Amino acid sequence: MNSYAPALMTDQYELTMVSAALQDGTADRRCVFEVFARRLPGGRRYGVVAGTGRLVELIRDFRFGPAEIDFLRGAGIVDETTARWLADYRFTGDIDGYAEGELFFPGSPVMTLSGTFAECVVLETLILSVLNHDSAVASAAARMVTAARGRPIIEMGSRRTHEDSAIAAARAAYLAGFASTSNLAAGARYGIPTTGTSAHAFTLLHDDEPAAFASQVAALGKNTTLLVDTYDIAQGIRNAIAVAGPDLRAVRIDSGDLSVLAQHSRELLDSLGATETKIVVSGDMDEYAIAALAAEPVDMYGAGTAVVTGSGAPTAGMVYKLVEVEGRPVVKRSENKATIGGRKTAVRRHKPTGTAIEEIVVSQGVPDHAANDRLLQRSFVVGGEVLDTPALTESREHLRQCLISIPWEGLKLSAGDPAVPVTIVPTS
């Protein structure tokens, strides 16, 4: 099977536009494209920008090699003029946008590309693919972290999504505040702490549960987590402590009424002298399930399907629109999909206490800003050259501070208005 470069993530309609623009002479017109979300998913009060660090590296390496050009020629998708243009493609423009880990709201200019029409439009699918996926995961994960109230969450959703998106999802979840991941590729690539324990299959493999626990403890020591709900949970806990002793690190429960089971498990562990043994719960954990366990003796959560699928919102709803041509604002007037022309600049205003109160977005200008305000955009690429981006740990801390800054109502899981209202001032 042929292996093609990421450049073929480009949609065919983008190459159709490039071919036509090369033919009519408009391909080199200087343009500005913007990425923004018209609205937040239902019930959400904020979104989290994620994937920027991955994206700028992909754009830096975005190339059409011989295999890609041969495919496009052979399929009749591009003519010779377009094929030659693609063979020489390098993004030479500028990219600015919100820092990774920044919050966004409807209308926030999350990313801005400036360059020729052709070099910008060919990146649309790549940009939206990365930002929509990673931001959806990070937005859901941030809500789960808030619901957990300081208790660690493990990302364990690799089996519920595509193998590549699993790595990106683990990165986005860690950005949002998850403590670790079970995905080893994410650990190797991004330095994310990894963790994991055995599954029910390991227990079923052995003649009985004590034998399975003894094998795991012999291999990994007492600083491990034993899965105790393969058969009877209460007996599983007794077996776990009998094998490992009262200084076993943790037990995991993956099914049943977790609220009741957590209470009973804590009482049983304490009665067996395992007062420091932690309780980990997993199994269809989303922000609502985590919040429902806030008063229970749970020490750690494992989240899988919900986090890697955006907890019901698998896309951040971002779009990529042309807003300026040769310095002239352009707008789309379609009903319910109208845009505001001109390159945007954004500032978030805060009270002296640090609480965010409003986001001001100005077209073709810079908003007035005071000491308590914060300009939101930064440069990622200048003249085609990728600038240094913050480390993932820095972006993680940036998001933590952003979540502290929004009004407490904005952290509610119930539906409501965006946590910070956005005012867009069009060009005069």
Side-chain angles (χ1 to χ4, degrees), residues 54-90:
R54 293 201 310 118
L55 179 58
V56 295
E57 292 179 356
L58 289 168
I59 292 175
R60 178 194 62 199
D61 300 331
F62 192 83
R63 301 285 187 273
F64 291 85
E68 290 73 46
I69 300 297
D70 287 346
F71 163 74
L72 295 171
R73 278 196 183 107
I77 295 170
V78 299
D79 57 20
E80 286 304 310
T81 298
T82 306
R84 289 193 297 271
W85 184 87
L86 293 174
D88 294 332
Y89 180 82
R90 303 288 187 278

Side-chain angles (χ1 to χ4, degrees), residues 211-393:
F213 290 167
S215 174
Q216 184 173 331
V217 171
L220 302 174
K222 297 180 180 182
N223 191 32
T224 189
T225 300
L226 297 179
L227 180 61
V228 296
D229 68 340
T230 303
Y231 304 113
D232 176 80
I233 292 177
Q235 187 57 48
I237 291 174
R238 293 188 183 95
N239 289 337
I241 301 306
V243 168
D247 51 350
L248 172 67
R249 182 182 69 174
V251 296
R252 179 163 74 99
I253 306 169
D254 191 50
S255 57
D257 185 336
L258 296 177
S259 178
V260 173
L261 291 173
Q263 294 178 42
H264 291 174
S265 297
R266 183 72 272 159
E267 292 170 1
L268 180 55
L269 285 167
D270 290 349
S271 72
L272 296 171
T275 57
E276 298 301 316
T277 298
K278 307 300 182 184
I279 297 174
V280 182
V281 297
S282 55
D284 298 324
M285 287 285 108
D286 61 11
E287 60 266 49
Y288 302 104
I290 291 171
L293 293 169
E296 308 305 339
V298 173
D299 298 291
M300 186 177 295
Y301 304 92
T305 302
V307 68
V308 300
T309 58
S311 194
T315 173
M318 293 184 186
V319 295
Y320 185 84
K321 299 299 177 184
L322 178 65
V323 296
E324 200 170 284
V325 177
E326 300 287 9
R328 172 179 56 86
V330 295
V331 298
K332 177 180 177 180
R333 301 189 187 279
S334 304
E335 186 175 357
N336 298 322
K337 289 189 175 182
T339 59
I340 295 176
R343 180 192 182 102
K344 316 298 188 304
T345 305
V347 65
R348 191 163 299 152
R349 292 184 172 159
H350 300 77
K351 294 179 180 179
T353 57
T355 301
I357 55 175
E358 186 180 20
E359 187 168 310
I360 304 295
V361 178
V362 172
S363 175
Q364 293 194 309
V366 178
D368 294 331
H369 53 284
N372 295 320
D373 300 336
R374 181 163 58 85
L375 289 169
L376 295 171
Q377 286 136 320
R378 52 153 293 171
S379 294
F380 298 113
V381 179
V382 176
E385 295 297 321
V386 174
L387 305 181
D388 290 337
T389 55
L392 183 57
T393 51

Side-chain angles (χ1 to χ4, degrees), residues 95-107:
I95 300 178
D96 304 284
Y98 285 28
E100 192 159 24
E102 186 61 73
L103 303 183
F104 72 88
F105 306 96

